[in-house]
Amino acid sequence: MSETKAESGPARLDAALLTIVGVMVLGGMMSYLDATIVNVGISTLSGEFDASLATIEWVTTGYLLAVALAIPLAGWALARFGAKRMWLLGLTLFLAGSVLCAVAWNAESLIAFRILQGFGGGMVDPIMMTVVATAAGPERMGRVMGLISVPITLGPVVGPIIGGLILDNLSWQWMFLVNVPFALAAILLAAKVLPADPPTAGSAPLDVVGVALLPPGFAALVYALSRAGSVGFGSTQVIVGLVLGVVLFAGYAVHALRTDKTPLLDLRLFASKGFSASVTTMFLLGGGLFSLLFLLPLYYQQVRGHSVLESGLLLAPLGFGTLIGMPVAGNLADRFGAKRLVPLGALLIGLGALVFTQADSGTSQVLLTVAQLAAGFGMGLVGAPTMGSVYRTVPGEAVAGATGAVFILNQIGASLGIAVVALILQGGGSHATPTSGTFADAFWWPVAAAVVVFLAGLLLPGRPQAAPAADASAERVADPA
C-alpha cells in the first residue's frame, strides 16, 4: 500500500481538508492584519485621545503581552476543552475586543480592550496551526503549510496598506470595526464546518507551576524587547524585564525537565535536531520579516519622502512575493523537503535586504521593487517548508506543544528584530532623523538573520517519507534518509 502511494505521488488535498484550511485562514488572518493596521495609526490615536505616544504605545504593547500570555495556554486548553470550542472562544474574544475598541472613550479603555482582543488573537493562531497540521497528516503537510502560512506572513504586510487606506478615508474606529464582518463570518463558518471534537479523554491537568512561570516569562521578554526599541537595552525597565524573563524561563526549564506530569510546553522536543533547526529558523524568520516590515515604511517615508499610504502600497511587492512563494514552496516541500528549499529562500531574503544596504534616495524604485519581490518569495520558500518540518519532526500527541514553541520563539524573534533595528536607527540620537546611511546599517540585520537561516536550513529534514508507519518514532520522522 505504501509503495503504491509513493509511486502515485503525494496524497491529494481533498475538499474537506481545503474547507477546514479556508475557514482557519479566514479566522487566523485577522489577528495578523489587525496588529499592523493599528501600528500605522498610533499617532492618529495619540491625537484623538490627547494622550502621549508613551501612553498610546500600550495599545500595541498591551496587545502583544496578551498574546504572550495566551499562546502557552492554548495547547493545554485545546486538549482539555476541544479545538472547536477553543477556536470559537478565541474568535469571540477577538470580535468582542474589536467592537469594544471602536467604542473606547479614552486611552486607558482602549488599552484594556486591546488586551482582551490580544488574548483572543493569541489563542486563535496556535489552535489554527494545530488543527490543520493534525488534519493534513505528514504526506500533505508541506502543501497545507503553504496555504495556512499565508496569513502569518502576508497579514503583517497587507496591514499597513489597509491601515493607510482606512486612515485616509474613514475614522479611526474602522481600524477595529473592519474585523467585525470577517470575525462573524469566521465564527459562523467554523460552527458549521469544523467537526465536533470532545475533550481528550484523560487529558492532562493544567500545569499550574508551568503557568506561573512560562507565560509571565514570555510576557516579560516581549515587554522588554518591545520597549528596548524606543528606550534602549540599557534602561532600567528593559533590564528588569529581560532579567525577569530569563529567570522565569530558566525556572520553567528546570520544572519542565524534572516534572513527572505533562508540562505546559515539553522542552524534550528540542532533543530532535530537525525540530530544533525548524524552530530556530522560525525564530530568525520572525526577526527578519518584522524588522523589514518596520524598516521599509520608515525608509520610504524618511529617505524617499513618501506618505504613509504610499509607503504602505510600496510594501506590496514584499507581500506579493510571499503570496506566490508560500504555495509554491508548499508543493515543492512535499517532494523535495525543507533542506533544499530553505537555504535557497534564505539566499533570496539576504540578497533582497542587501540591495537596501546600498540604497539611497536616488536608487531606482524598479531595483527596490525587484529586491522586495525576491525577499518576499524567499520568505515563502522558508516559511511553509519550515512549518511543515516542525510537524514532521514530532509525534502526533506533541503537535499542540510544538505549535506553542514555534509561536513563542517566532514572537520573541519578531520583538528582538524590531528592537535591534530601532536602536540602530537611533544611532544619531533618539530625536534625530535617521539618514540613508543609518537605514543602510539597519538593513544589515535582516541580511545577518538570512545567513543564519541559510545555515540552519541545512540541518532541516530532507525529502519526507511516503506514508510513514503509524508507530514510527519521532526521531525516525525527524531525520529521514
Side-chain angles (χ1 to χ4, degrees):
M1 179 70 70
S2 62
E3 291 179 359
T4 302
K5 285 186 178 181
E7 293 173 359
S8 62
R12 68 184 185 89
L13 303 182
D14 56 77
L17 177 59
L18 289 174
T19 300
I20 290 176
V21 170
V23 171
M24 289 290 174
V25 167
L26 178 61
M29 188 80 165
M30 292 184 303
S31 62
Y32 289 100
L33 277 173
D34 196 72
T36 47
I37 285 176
V38 174
N39 286 351
V40 301
I42 289 297
S43 59
T44 300
L45 293 173
S46 176
E48 184 69 30
F49 291 109
D50 193 24
S52 67
L53 282 177
T55 298
I56 213 69
E57 280 177 359
W58 275 94
V59 171
T60 296
T61 304
Y63 183 92
L64 290 176
L65 294 183
V67 169
L69 290 171
I71 286 175
L73 293 170
W76 169 82
L78 186 149
R80 176 66 180 82
F81 300 107
K84 184 173 184 176
R85 290 182 182 180
M86 296 312 301
W87 177 255
L88 292 173
L89 176 61
L91 289 176
T92 301
L93 290 176
F94 188 86
L95 173 61
S98 299
V99 173
L100 289 170
C101 284
V103 298
W105 53 91
N106 57 27
E108 290 75 18
S109 63
L110 179 62
I111 292 167
F113 297 145
R114 278 283 284 174
I115 290 172
L116 175 65
Q117 189 187 41
F119 199 82
M123 292 170 59
V124 162
D125 297 326
I127 292 173
M128 171 183 69
M129 300 302 293
T130 302
V131 169
V132 171
T134 303
E139 288 186 283
R140 303 182 292 184
M141 191 69 71
R143 284 166 291 162
V144 168
M145 285 300 117
L147 298 175
I148 205 69
S149 298
V150 168
I152 297 177
T153 49
L154 187 59
V157 178
V158 177
I161 300 174
I162 297 176
L165 289 170
I166 288 174
L167 293 175
D168 267 13
N169 298 283
L170 300 169
S171 66
W172 66 268
Q173 286 91 343
W174 284 98
M175 289 193 295
F176 305 104
L177 292 177
V178 70
N179 297 316
V180 173
F182 297 103
L184 286 173
I187 290 170
L188 293 174
L189 287 172
K192 181 178 181 180
V193 170
L194 295 185
D197 58 329
T200 305
S203 58
L206 180 62
D207 177 13
V208 177
V209 176
V211 170
L213 295 171
L214 184 59
F218 180 26
L221 285 181
V222 169
Y223 168 76
L225 292 172
S226 67
R227 297 298 299 154
S230 56
V231 298
F233 278 97
S235 70
T236 301
Q237 57 185 300
V238 173
I239 292 174
V240 170
L242 290 174
V243 170
L244 180 61
V246 169
V247 169
L248 290 173
F249 263 37
Y252 177 79
V254 172
H255 160 73
L257 294 174
R258 288 184 176 181
T259 184
D260 295 329
K261 300 177 182 179
T262 302
L264 196 63
L265 176 65
D266 190 357
L267 298 182
R268 295 177 180 87
L269 294 173
F270 288 90
S272 164
K273 179 184 71 175
F275 178 79
S276 295
S278 299
V279 174
T280 299
T281 300
M282 291 305 296
F283 168 80
L284 293 167
L285 182 63
L289 171 62
F290 280 88
S291 61
L292 281 176
L293 291 175
F294 179 83
L295 282 171
L296 286 170
L298 289 176
Y299 170 79
Y300 282 124
Q301 291 171 46
Q302 299 187 9
V303 175
R304 301 180 72 89
H306 292 290
S307 67
V308 173
L309 177 57
E310 289 170 342
S311 64
L313 291 171
L314 286 168
L315 280 179
L318 185 70
F320 186 65
T322 303
L323 184 62
I324 298 174
M326 280 289 183
V328 169
N331 279 301
L332 294 177
D334 284 333
R335 297 178 182 274
F336 303 109
K339 185 181 289 188
R340 296 184 182 182
L341 296 174
V342 170
L344 175 59
L347 183 62
L348 289 173
I349 295 170
L351 290 174
L354 188 63
V355 169
F356 282 89
T357 67
Q358 308 303 310
D360 55 31
S361 59
T363 302
S364 167
Q365 184 60 53
V366 174
L367 176 60
L368 299 181
T369 298
V370 171
Q372 287 182 233
L373 277 169
F377 190 79
M379 288 174 182
L381 292 184
V382 172
T386 303
M387 288 301 299
S389 295
V390 168
Y391 298 113
R392 285 193 178 107
T393 55
V394 297
E397 65 273 10
V399 166
T403 303
V406 169
F407 275 94
I408 287 172
L409 290 175
N410 184 259
Q411 185 66 62
I412 292 176
S415 301
L416 177 62
I418 292 173
V420 169
V421 296
L423 286 178
I424 295 173
L425 292 180
Q426 290 177 16
S430 59
H431 298 290
T433 300
T435 64
S436 59
T438 310
F439 274 99
D441 293 339
F443 277 111
W444 280 105
W445 168 260
V447 172
V451 171
V452 183
V453 169
F454 180 92
L455 297 174
L458 299 176
L459 301 177
L460 292 173
R463 182 176 180 177
Q465 295 176 346
D471 59 349
S473 67
E475 196 59 39
R476 179 183 169 194
V477 178
D479 299 299

